[in-house]
């Protein structure tokens, strides 16, 4: 958990941000839909301008809004280039709520649309606006040059970005989204200690909807799916896992001591006694036929090999190679030992010295082989 959590959080955050991007793309598609409605308005008006002398334009102008799409809109603004002769037509939503813009809001929206049309030099535009009178809006506007002055050249379709629209767009994407005020967003993010785009403890994500100029239009709150993993270092799952792991390792350590550590310590003590006593005839005792048992068997073979070689070395060290009797080294060690023993017990020591008469002449006459034969016979 401790190793995977940072990676899982990155994956989760990327998925959350994709949901925010999907919602922003849905808003962009809604803007494009409004622009397409304006296209239908001007297409219909273009067919009618040739009938200028035969039509009463007053009712026709009011019906142009319905041609552009009456449903899911708050209202429409039709005006000339000056904006003085404006007509506001309620859409499906405003007819239910009776919530039409006042004159100041109409001027604000008209000036925003004209400014964007002048900047982009296109026949139609769409955008987001935070209106002082009507709050956040999605709008689409178009401009046309008619041969008659009875048709409005400016057409603006407006939809307020309220909880209904946000919830509708979120529902189509399988998301739970709602709008909130600036102060609410700041307060809740400070309470949970998260920034924009970070999931809070209650699985909530806070984000901003901005217009093309980067201005904040709406503060949004996304209700995300519950987290599928523990994000706390000492969560119940991790604490339980640590306890189980600790107990498991304790059992493993106890078993290792009984099966490995203690036998090794016993073997080490035996090896130490062998080294100190130089008694290589001893053997290591281990009853199990596991890997350590195989090692013990090999070591016992080594001890036997060392004992054999030690015996040979001792023989070479204390016996004369020719006669097989004790050499000067053995004589010196025996003399030292007996001298000390005699000193402690107040005893006398005796030494017998043998001499071979005429050995040199015999050796010179019959050679070294003959002399060696005489020495061996004498030593027996």
């Amino acid at each position: 958990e401790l190793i995977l959590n940072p990676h899982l959080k990155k994956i989760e955050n990327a998925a959350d941000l994709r949901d925010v991007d999907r919602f922003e793309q849905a808003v962009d598609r809604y803007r494009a839909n409004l622009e397409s409605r304006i296209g239908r308005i001007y297409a219909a008006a273009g067919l009618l301008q040739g009938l200028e002398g035969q039509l009463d334009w007053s009712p026709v102008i009011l019906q142009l809004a319905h041609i552009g799409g009456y449903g899911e809109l708050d209202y429409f603004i039709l005006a000339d280039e000056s904006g003085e002769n404006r007509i506001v037509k309620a859409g499906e939503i405003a007819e239910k709520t009776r919530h039409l813009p006042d004159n100041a809001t109409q001027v604000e929206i008209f000036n925003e649309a004209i400014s964007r049309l002048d900047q982009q030099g296109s026949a139609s535009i769409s955008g987001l606006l935070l209106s002082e009178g009507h709050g956040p809006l999605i709008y689409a506007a178009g401009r046309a040059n008619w041969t008659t002055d009875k048709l409005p050249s400016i057409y603006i379709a407006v939809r307020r970005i309220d909880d209904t629209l946000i919830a509708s767009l979120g529902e189509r994407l399988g998301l739970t989204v709602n709008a909130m005020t600036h102060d609410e967003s700041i307060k809740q993010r400070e309470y949970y200690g998260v920034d924009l785009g970070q999931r809070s403890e209650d699985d909530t994500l806070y984000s901003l909807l901005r217009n093309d100029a980067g201005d904040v239009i709406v503060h949004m709150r996304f209700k995300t799916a519950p987290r599928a993993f523990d994000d706390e270092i000492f969560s119940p799952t991790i604490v339980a896992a640590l306890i189980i792991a600790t107990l498991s390792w304790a059992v493993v350590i106890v078993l290792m001591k009984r099966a490995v550590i203690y036998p090794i310590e016993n073997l080490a003590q035996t090896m130490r006694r062998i080294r100190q006593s130089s008694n290589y005839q001893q053997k290591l005792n281990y009853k199990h036929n596991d890997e350590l048992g195989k090692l013990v068997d090999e070591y016992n073979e080594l001890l036997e090999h060392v004992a054999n070689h030690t015996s040979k070395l001792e023989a070479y060290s204390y016996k004369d190679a020719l006669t097989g009797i004790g050499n000067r080294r053995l004589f010196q060690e025996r003399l030292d030992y007996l001298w000390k023993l005699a000193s402690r017990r107040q005893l006398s020591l005796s030494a017998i010295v043998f001499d071979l008469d005429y050995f040199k002449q015999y050796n010179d006459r019959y050679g070294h082989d003959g002399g060696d034969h005489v020495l061996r016979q004498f030593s027996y």
Side-chain angles (χ1 to χ4, degrees):
E1 286 280 353
L2 293 174
I3 295 173
L4 289 178
N5 269 356
H7 184 62
L8 293 175
K9 284 186 177 180
K10 290 181 181 179
I11 296 176
E12 178 187 70
N13 183 252
D16 291 342
L17 295 181
R18 280 197 298 270
D19 288 340
V20 175
D21 291 339
R22 288 170 57 210
F23 185 85
E24 293 177 352
Q25 292 169 8
V27 173
D28 292 338
R29 288 193 296 270
Y30 197 91
R31 290 172 51 177
N33 178 267
L34 290 187
E35 283 196 56
S36 68
R37 297 185 184 194
I38 292 177
R40 292 198 295 269
I41 289 285
Y42 286 125
L47 294 174
L48 295 175
Q49 72 170 329
L51 305 174
E52 180 179 357
Q54 306 175 28
L55 292 177
D56 179 7
W57 289 102
S58 298
V60 172
I61 292 174
L62 294 178
Q63 293 302 317
L64 287 177
H66 286 274
I67 297 174
Y70 170 78
E72 296 186 4
L73 289 180
D74 280 85
Y75 48 84
F76 315 88
I77 300 176
L78 297 91
D80 55 18
E81 286 285 345
S82 66
E84 297 295 332
N85 300 313
R86 295 188 304 276
I87 298 174
V88 178
K89 173 63 178 176
E92 176 187 27
I93 297 174
E95 282 190 352
K96 296 177 181 179
T97 61
R98 304 296 179 186
H99 196 74
L100 289 174
D102 56 21
N103 186 67
T105 302
Q106 294 179 34
V107 172
E108 180 185 17
I109 296 173
F110 178 82
N111 290 337
E112 169 74 11
I114 289 295
S115 175
R116 292 282 307 283
L117 287 168
D118 291 340
Q119 290 177 4
Q120 298 189 13
S122 57
S124 64
I125 54 96
S126 66
L128 304 177
L129 172 66
L130 182 59
S131 169
E132 294 183 3
H134 262 200
L137 308 170
I138 297 179
Y139 69 89
R143 168 187 281 154
N145 297 317
W146 306 117
T147 58
T148 175
D149 57 359
K150 296 181 179 180
L151 285 173
S153 59
I154 304 298
Y155 173 80
I156 306 172
V158 180
R159 173 66 192 270
R160 296 174 62 209
I161 305 177
D162 54 12
D163 286 334
T164 302
L165 176 61
I166 291 177
S168 175
L169 294 177
E171 185 177 355
R172 297 174 188 175
L173 300 173
L175 304 174
T176 302
V177 192
N178 65 286
M180 57 193 315
T181 65
H182 172 79
D183 293 338
E184 287 177 337
S185 177
I186 296 294
K187 184 177 179 179
Q188 291 190 19
R189 282 187 279 129
E190 288 180 349
Y191 175 79
Y192 289 113
V194 296
D195 295 326
L196 292 170
Q198 292 182 340
R199 182 186 287 232
S200 66
E201 294 177 0
D202 66 340
D203 297 317
T204 301
L205 187 74
Y206 300 91
S207 181
L208 302 176
L209 181 63
R210 301 177 183 271
N211 62 11
D212 296 337
D215 302 322
V216 177
I217 304 300
V218 181
H219 289 261
M220 298 183 298
R221 176 172 52 201
F222 290 77
K223 190 63 178 178
T224 60
R227 179 167 283 161
F229 59 93
D230 294 322
D231 61 333
E232 299 177 358
I233 295 180
F234 295 107
S235 65
T237 301
I238 295 178
V239 170
L242 290 175
I243 292 174
I244 293 173
T246 302
L247 293 176
S248 300
W249 275 109
V251 172
V252 169
I253 291 173
V254 171
L255 294 177
M256 285 184 62
K257 279 191 173 182
R258 294 183 59 184
V260 179
I261 304 300
Y262 291 158
I264 290 178
E265 290 179 350
N266 293 332
L267 294 174
Q269 292 176 1
T270 303
M271 293 168 63
R272 189 179 303 111
R273 288 197 301 269
I274 293 174
R275 175 178 58 81
Q276 292 174 350
S277 64
S278 298
N279 182 9
Y280 302 106
Q281 300 295 332
Q282 298 184 56
K283 300 293 183 182
L284 301 179
N285 295 320
Y286 186 76
K287 300 178 181 179
H288 304 288
N289 190 26
D290 53 13
E291 286 75 9
L292 184 57
K294 296 177 181 178
L295 180 62
V296 170
D297 291 340
E298 290 296 328
Y299 189 79
N300 284 332
E301 293 289 336
L302 179 62
L303 283 176
E304 184 178 354
H305 183 73
V306 172
N308 293 334
H309 277 267
T310 303
S311 177
K312 292 180 180 180
L313 288 175
E314 288 179 350
Y316 294 150
S317 175
Y318 291 106
K319 292 183 180 181
D320 180 70
L322 177 62
T323 62
I325 62 176
N327 58 13
R328 180 174 180 177
R329 180 179 180 182
L330 179 62
F331 173 79
Q332 189 65 48
E333 290 185 5
R334 294 286 178 85
L335 177 61
D336 292 340
Y337 171 75
L338 293 174
W339 185 271
K340 293 177 182 178
L341 181 62
S343 298
R344 287 198 303 270
R345 297 183 179 181
Q346 298 297 315
L347 299 176
S348 300
L349 287 179
S350 298
I352 300 176
V353 180
F354 295 91
D355 184 30
L356 294 179
D357 294 336
Y358 309 108
F359 176 75
K360 181 178 184 306
Q361 291 84 343
Y362 186 90
N363 192 62
D364 291 340
R365 180 175 181 180
Y366 295 100
H368 294 295
D369 292 338
D372 292 343
H373 178 72
V374 169
L375 291 175
R376 283 194 294 269
Q377 291 298 319
F378 179 76
S379 65
Y380 294 157

